[in-house]
Amino acid sequence: MPASMKTFFDKQDEHAALAAELAGQGVEFAMAAWVDVRGRPKSKVVPINHLPDMLAGSERYTPRGIGGLGQMNPAEDECVGLPDPDTLRILSWDPRIAYFNADLVLGASREPFENCPRSALKSVLAKAADMGFAMNLGVETEFYLYRTSTLPDLVPRFESSVIEPTPAYDARSVIDSLEFFSDLTKHMEAAGYGLYSFDQEGGEGQYELDFGYAEVLTMCDRLTHLRLMLTALAQKVDATVTFMPRPQTHSWGSGAHMNMSLVSTTTGENAFVEADGTWTKTALSFAAGVLRHAKALTALTCPTVNSYKRLSPKLTDGSVSWAPVWARYGTNNRSCMLRLPGNRPCIENRAVDMMSNMYLASAFTLAAGLEGIELGLDPGDAVTDDASDWDRFGAHEDRLPRNLLEAIDAFANDPLVHATFPSGFVRDYIAMKNEEWENYHTVVTAWEVDRYLLDV
């Protein structure tokens, strides 16, 4: 028997044993979730006795056009959702289901599908490994909780005890929301997230989760799983979760700050800090690479029309929003896109929101940082003053895109985009986002009616 056939049958026996073990624990179904361009998990569900078939690639999809990316081609080869066995977890809130993260591969060749975000990240990670690096990522996850039964009116599920000047960190308000967060804490602990804090944020009904960093692919897989978890647990308390960056005109924006570091694959040490705690040349060159491609990157980290309602230096009342608008860096300076914090050895990108597909955002961030290291780029001097008022000086080359159209134009014209992602993905993503902008731009808003209707 050829070695390849023996390996196949060995794995079939191994997978059958896994299916039997899971069935013995009460698991009834299995799913292998790939993600669409919006970061939403997609999967078929199989009875647990069909798990060996699913692990062998039995579940096929026609994903182009699903999730808005690309035009459906009826003659195109189907894709296979190929589970990653290392990502197996039983859903703690529904232990009938064994859950895997999956890659989308072409059915015949098993080559990565060009619009598979997880495969895009793995491709850049392979280059990082060739350069001697692995990437770690932590994400500060912010979201709003609204009462489902009152939608479309946005009523906070748990009303804040303090409104003015802001409910941020208010102890009574977060205690009032423990009906949801005590349950969430148990499930995040069961999933191994390492949750170490949650809090009431600056918007009424807005919260933040802080949990342990992980290897970047693992973190992206966790965020996909977290979407399911938050939605399921919110339903139990008549709540709807939204990652919308700015759900109301007067609300605080919700971000998803990316805290990134590189690790040497030979020593296991953080490549961003020296032994005395100072920043390494590697860290500064990584930051310079990210800043060099900041405008194109924003098309992935802030991927919606609404994202740019958050990327404004001031709120409607004139107070500082803490959202960056300049592609600059500072040490502990929250008014810049990149922050080199004094309390942890990582680089924080603050121009990110949870509407992003974190696989794609991480892939291009890493590609840009690696280019910076290869070219030995210098990010220049750190910004020490408050950049929130810089808009008064007019146009500036370091200004981040002001809207989705500017961002997608930068994405289309950046050579590194075309070197990082398959050409079909770049084409489809640009088309998708241009259509999103055009659809938005043709809608007459209440602001326009208020402003112009009686302007005679």
Side-chain angles (χ1 to χ4, degrees):
M1 180 185 297
S4 59
M5 290 295 292
K6 184 176 186 302
T7 300
F8 173 80
F9 285 114
D10 286 346
K11 282 195 173 294
Q12 284 288 94
D13 291 343
E14 178 185 324
H15 294 164
L18 175 60
E21 179 185 347
L22 291 171
Q25 297 174 25
V27 176
E28 300 177 37
F29 307 102
M31 60 192 307
W34 50 275
V35 293
D36 67 14
V37 72
R38 292 184 171 95
R40 297 175 301 191
K42 308 279 189 177
S43 182
K44 295 180 180 180
V45 179
V46 303
I48 194 62
N49 60 306
H50 283 276
L51 175 62
D53 300 324
M54 187 183 77
L55 289 169
S58 64
E59 302 314 304
R60 292 174 173 265
Y61 303 87
T62 51
R64 200 183 299 277
I66 304 298
L69 189 64
Q71 295 298 315
M72 190 78 73
N73 181 348
E76 190 173 35
D77 186 19
E78 290 181 311
C79 289
V80 168
L82 202 60
D84 182 341
D86 293 337
T87 65
L88 168 63
R89 60 172 81 240
I90 298 173
L91 297 184
S92 57
W93 65 91
D94 192 342
R96 297 171 299 173
I97 301 173
Y99 172 93
F100 298 82
N101 292 96
D103 298 307
L104 273 180
V105 299
L106 296 175
S109 67
R110 295 298 173 95
E111 291 295 315
F113 177 52
E114 61 186 0
N115 288 351
C116 176
R118 198 169 188 266
S119 297
L121 175 56
K122 290 167 75 172
S123 176
V124 184
L125 285 172
K127 178 179 179 180
D130 289 341
M131 294 175 61
F133 297 116
M135 179 178 173
N136 287 331
L137 177 66
V139 179
E140 302 170 43
T141 307
E142 295 180 340
F143 56 91
Y144 278 84
L145 276 179
Y146 290 117
R147 190 179 292 274
T148 303
S149 56
T150 62
L151 294 176
D153 294 331
L154 300 184
V155 178
R157 174 59 184 85
F158 305 101
E159 295 185 11
S160 302
S161 299
V162 173
I163 303 298
E164 299 295 342
T166 165
Y169 307 134
D170 182 60
R172 288 182 298 166
S173 297
V174 76
I175 289 173
D176 289 343
S177 65
L178 286 182
E179 178 184 0
F180 173 77
F181 282 98
S182 61
D183 197 22
L184 177 62
T185 297
K186 295 172 187 175
H187 290 287
M188 291 187 73
E189 285 302 306
Y193 279 63
L195 177 70
Y196 55 82
S197 73
F198 57 89
D199 63 82
Q200 164 79 57
E201 276 294 307
E204 189 179 12
Q206 184 188 33
Y207 305 94
E208 179 178 314
L209 300 173
D210 294 308
F211 48 94
Y213 68 86
E215 185 275 329
V216 62
L217 185 63
T218 299
M219 176 56 67
C220 292
D221 288 343
R222 285 180 179 175
L223 292 173
T224 305
H225 173 258
L226 182 63
R227 282 175 177 259
L228 291 175
M229 181 190 296
L230 287 171
T231 301
L233 299 184
Q235 288 175 343
K236 294 167 61 175
V237 296
D238 184 34
T240 293
V241 174
T242 182
F243 295 132
M244 189 174 177
R246 199 168 183 182
Q248 295 176 290
T249 299
H250 300 287
S251 64
W252 281 52
S254 288
H257 300 170
M258 296 173 66
N259 292 271
M260 310 161 287
S261 63
L262 295 184
V263 176
S264 167
T265 54
T266 55
T267 67
E269 296 180 351
N270 190 311
F272 279 1
V273 288
E274 304 285 5
D276 62 0
T278 57
W279 298 100
T280 62
K281 169 64 174 166
T282 296
L284 295 176
S285 291
F286 185 97
V290 173
L291 293 174
R292 187 185 199 190
H293 298 281
K295 294 183 180 182
L297 174 61
T298 308
L300 297 170
T301 58
C302 302
T304 71
V305 166
N306 186 254
S307 297
Y308 298 87
K309 305 296 176 71
R310 169 182 169 262
L311 287 190
S312 174
K314 299 293 180 67
L315 298 174
T316 53
D317 64 2
S319 60
V320 176
S321 70
W322 298 112
V325 296
W326 298 100
R328 297 288 296 275
Y329 87 100
T331 55
N332 269 344
N333 191 335
R334 292 173 177 82
S335 65
C336 296
M337 173 187 170
L338 296 187
R339 174 179 172 232
L340 278 61
N343 63 345
R344 54 190 186 274
C346 64
I347 295 172
E348 177 186 5
N349 183 356
R350 300 173 59 80
V352 191
D353 64 57
M354 274 294 289
M355 296 296 283
S356 64
N357 180 309
M358 201 58 69
Y359 297 96
L360 296 174
S362 298
F364 194 61
T365 298
L366 180 56
L370 293 176
E371 182 189 78
I373 293 170
E374 287 181 310
L375 299 178
L377 300 181
D378 187 329
D381 295 332
V383 173
T384 57
D385 59 328
D386 185 355
S388 301
D389 288 330
W390 282 10
D391 263 343
R392 60 193 168 92
F393 298 120
H396 195 286
E397 63 179 6
D398 294 331
R399 182 63 160 85
L400 290 174
R402 296 172 185 268
N403 55 51
L404 181 61
L405 182 62
E406 289 185 9
I408 206 65
D409 283 348
F411 183 85
N413 293 310
D414 191 315
L416 186 62
V417 166
H418 298 271
T420 301
F421 299 111
S423 59
F425 167 78
V426 175
R427 177 199 65 227
D428 289 348
Y429 191 74
I430 292 169
M432 173 189 179
K433 290 301 170 180
N434 276 328
E435 182 180 10
E436 185 174 335
W437 172 258
E438 291 297 331
N439 288 343
Y440 162 72
H441 206 57
T442 58
V443 173
V444 177
T445 65
W447 183 91
E448 293 169 277
V449 173
D450 292 341
R451 181 94 173 210
Y452 304 122
L453 184 66
L454 300 180
D455 190 7
V456 294

